[in-house]
């Protein structure tokens, strides 16, 4: 059985409208997760180690104030389009659209005020919570009124996140959750002792602004071959990598399939990622720099967390040979990602 509780988490600043932000707590025997109505943010996620004790394994803040200031998308749902769009530009049916540039020369994670920074309308379910919002035509430069539903459900050790959307004009869409994980417990110094594997035969090389070059490169014989579990710290050293911030190309299946696994041998905690999405962005917290004070007043230094963001390929709207990122009127965008937690 999953328990669902709701409570007030805080109030938005006056200049943001002053609305109440709620927190929803989902609890099973092995997982406890807290989700905010602001940005559908996963603000806490506790799982058991092999010792049977719970630890919070996601980065974030104790209070709403942390989430209303600038932060690196901790735990949030990002959109309309996750990841980067080159020069913030794209064309649909010959019409050019220009987005806000918030990541050097590019647009990142929906722009200046993306889905992570807005309040969603919640509906409690027997085993979870469904959030809804209407993203109006022209919001952040995107075309069409877009209705979006994000549903979190918890069953035993499995947290499912379902994303649905409908539009009245052709628009690009790619939704993901940007949780930062450390299976040793949030606030632990680094993730070098984590074992990671990703079921991908190819990945997308990027230019110096992190935009895919267009090449779909084989992982074979490179530092991007994560098909067998690697110990992260040793692997980064061996291949002289500063970290990962790359899209791995998954098999194009509409059905659920396992795509990645992270394990922390000292605590026995493991997390498997299953999805219907065509890509997964593996990010190792390269831009964390210890300047943010998180939960329990701990700081989050570089490489103190990882993200496994299931999504469409970055800049797909400008790359015809990438999986299509366009949603047409009359169609429905519908993807699910499952996070399966265990300890051994």
């Amino acid at each position: 059985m999953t328990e669902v509780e709701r409570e007030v988490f805080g109030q938005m600043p006056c200049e943001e409208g002053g609305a109440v932000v709620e927190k929803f707590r989902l609890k099973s025997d092995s997982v406890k997760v807290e989700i905010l109505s602001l940005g559908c943010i996963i603000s806490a996620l506790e799982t058991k180690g092999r010792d049977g004790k719970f630890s919070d394994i996601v980065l974030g803040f104790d209070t709403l104030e942390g989430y209303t200031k600038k932060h690196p998308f901790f735990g949030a749902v990002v959109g309309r389009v996750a990841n980067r769009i080159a020069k913030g530009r794209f064309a649909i049916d010959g019409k050019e659209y220009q987005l806000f540039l918030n990541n050097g020369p590019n647009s990142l994670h929906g722009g200046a005020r993306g889905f992570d920074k807005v309040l969603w309308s919640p509906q409690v379910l027997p085993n979870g919570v469904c959030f809804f919002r209407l993203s109006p035509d022209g919001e952040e430069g995107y075309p069409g009124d877009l209705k979006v539903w994000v549903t979190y459900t918890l069953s035993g050790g499995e947290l499912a996140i379902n994303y649905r959307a409908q539009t009245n004009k052709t628009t690009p869409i790619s939704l993901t959750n940007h949780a930062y994980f450390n299976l040793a417990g949030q606030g632990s110094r680094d993730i070098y002792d984590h074992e990671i594997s990703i079921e991908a035969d190819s990945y997308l090389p990027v230019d110096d602004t992190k935009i895919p070059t267009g090449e779909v490169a084989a992982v074979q014989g490179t530092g991007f071959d994560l098909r067998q579990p690697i110990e992260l710290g040793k692997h980064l050293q061996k291949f002289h990598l500063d970290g990962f911030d790359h899209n791995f190309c998954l098999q194009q299946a509409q059905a659920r399939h396992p795509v990645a696994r992270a394990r922390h041998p000292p605590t026995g905690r493991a997390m498997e990622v299953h999805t219907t999405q065509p890509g997964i962005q593996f990010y190792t917290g390269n831009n964390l720099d210890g300047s943010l004070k998180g939960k329990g007043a701990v700081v989050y230094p570089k490489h103190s967390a990882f993200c496994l963001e299931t999504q469409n390929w970055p800049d797909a709207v400008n790359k015809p040979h990438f999986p299509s990122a366009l949603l047409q009127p009359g169609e429905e965008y519908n993807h699910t990602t499952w996070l399966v937690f265990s300890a051994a």
Side-chain angles (χ1 to χ4, degrees):
M1 281 295 292
T2 300
E3 286 177 53
V4 184
E5 299 168 355
R6 70 192 291 178
E7 63 185 61
V8 171
F9 183 65
Q11 197 168 6
M12 292 296 283
C14 292
E15 62 272 20
E16 295 267 339
V20 165
V21 177
E22 288 189 284
K23 175 167 80 176
F24 298 83
R25 189 180 285 115
L26 317 183
K27 285 198 283 197
S28 72
D29 289 342
S30 56
V31 175
K32 304 176 196 172
V33 59
E34 296 179 357
I35 305 151
L36 308 181
S37 57
L38 173 69
C40 305
I41 288 169
I42 295 175
S43 58
L45 203 168
E46 295 183 41
T47 68
K48 287 179 177 176
R50 77 164 69 83
D51 60 4
K53 290 188 181 135
F54 281 100
S55 262
D56 184 2
I57 59 167
V58 296
L59 276 53
F61 303 101
D62 290 320
T63 63
L64 179 60
E65 193 185 15
Y67 293 107
T68 57
K69 292 179 177 167
K70 187 171 165 56
H71 67 93
F73 305 97
F74 285 149
V77 165
V78 292
R80 278 186 199 190
V81 175
N83 219 307
R84 293 167 180 87
I85 293 179
K87 300 185 173 59
R89 285 207 296 265
F90 60 89
I92 296 174
D93 300 330
K95 185 175 177 191
E96 290 255 338
Y97 294 89
Q98 178 65 55
L99 310 174
F100 185 80
L101 306 182
N102 62 333
N103 185 249
N106 307 314
S107 182
L108 175 70
H109 293 331
R113 194 166 184 268
F115 288 5
D116 58 299
K117 296 179 182 70
V118 293
L119 282 173
W120 295 63
S121 302
Q123 181 191 353
V124 171
L125 307 173
N127 61 340
V129 58
C130 175
F131 296 97
F132 170 79
R133 82 174 294 253
L134 171 68
S135 172
D137 184 22
E139 182 175 65
E140 285 297 325
Y142 288 98
D145 286 331
L146 186 75
K147 293 178 179 173
V148 192
W149 296 263
V150 177
T151 305
Y152 291 88
T153 49
L154 180 64
S155 174
E158 179 173 285
L159 177 66
I161 313 173
N162 172 257
Y163 308 89
R164 287 173 50 225
Q166 298 163 358
T167 184
N168 63 357
K169 285 185 191 170
T170 304
T171 188
I173 181 171
S174 174
L175 301 176
T176 193
N177 178 283
H178 208 309
Y180 286 69
F181 295 98
N182 187 322
L183 300 182
Q186 74 86 29
S188 299
R189 193 179 64 241
D190 60 56
I191 48 171
Y192 298 139
D193 57 356
H194 283 53
E195 290 176 356
I196 305 280
S197 58
I198 298 177
E199 301 264 339
D201 297 328
S202 53
Y203 78 102
L204 301 180
V206 293
D207 67 18
D208 54 9
T209 74
K210 301 279 193 291
I211 293 288
T213 61
E215 181 192 1
V216 180
V219 300
Q220 183 77 36
T222 74
F224 295 86
D225 191 346
L226 307 179
R227 293 173 293 185
Q228 295 299 317
I230 54 99
E231 187 180 319
L232 189 60
K234 287 179 181 166
H235 187 84
L236 294 178
Q237 278 185 318
K238 178 180 173 185
F239 288 96
H240 308 291
L241 296 168
D242 185 50
F244 289 94
D245 191 1
H246 295 80
N247 178 83
F248 287 77
C249 308
L250 307 174
Q251 64 180 60
Q252 307 292 297
Q254 279 307 297
R256 170 180 177 162
H257 55 290
V259 296
R261 189 166 191 268
R263 185 171 163 266
H264 184 243
T267 60
R269 275 193 197 86
M271 176 177 89
E272 278 184 17
V273 183
H274 301 236
T275 194
T276 59
Q277 293 273 25
I280 189 166
Q281 186 86 2
F282 178 38
Y283 173 54
T284 48
N286 314 329
N287 298 323
L288 298 174
D289 59 7
S291 63
L292 284 176
K293 274 207 168 139
K295 289 180 268 195
V298 296
V299 295
Y300 297 137
K302 182 175 178 173
H303 295 162
S304 60
F306 66 89
C307 305
L308 287 166
E309 305 157 64
T310 55
Q311 56 187 252
N312 199 359
W313 300 5
D315 201 34
V317 72
N318 291 312
K319 306 266 196 305
H321 60 297
F322 283 10
S324 173
L326 295 181
L327 178 65
Q328 311 286 348
E331 293 180 353
E332 182 170 86
Y333 175 91
N334 193 333
H335 279 289
T336 307
T337 293
W338 296 263
L339 304 175
V340 186
F341 299 98
S342 60

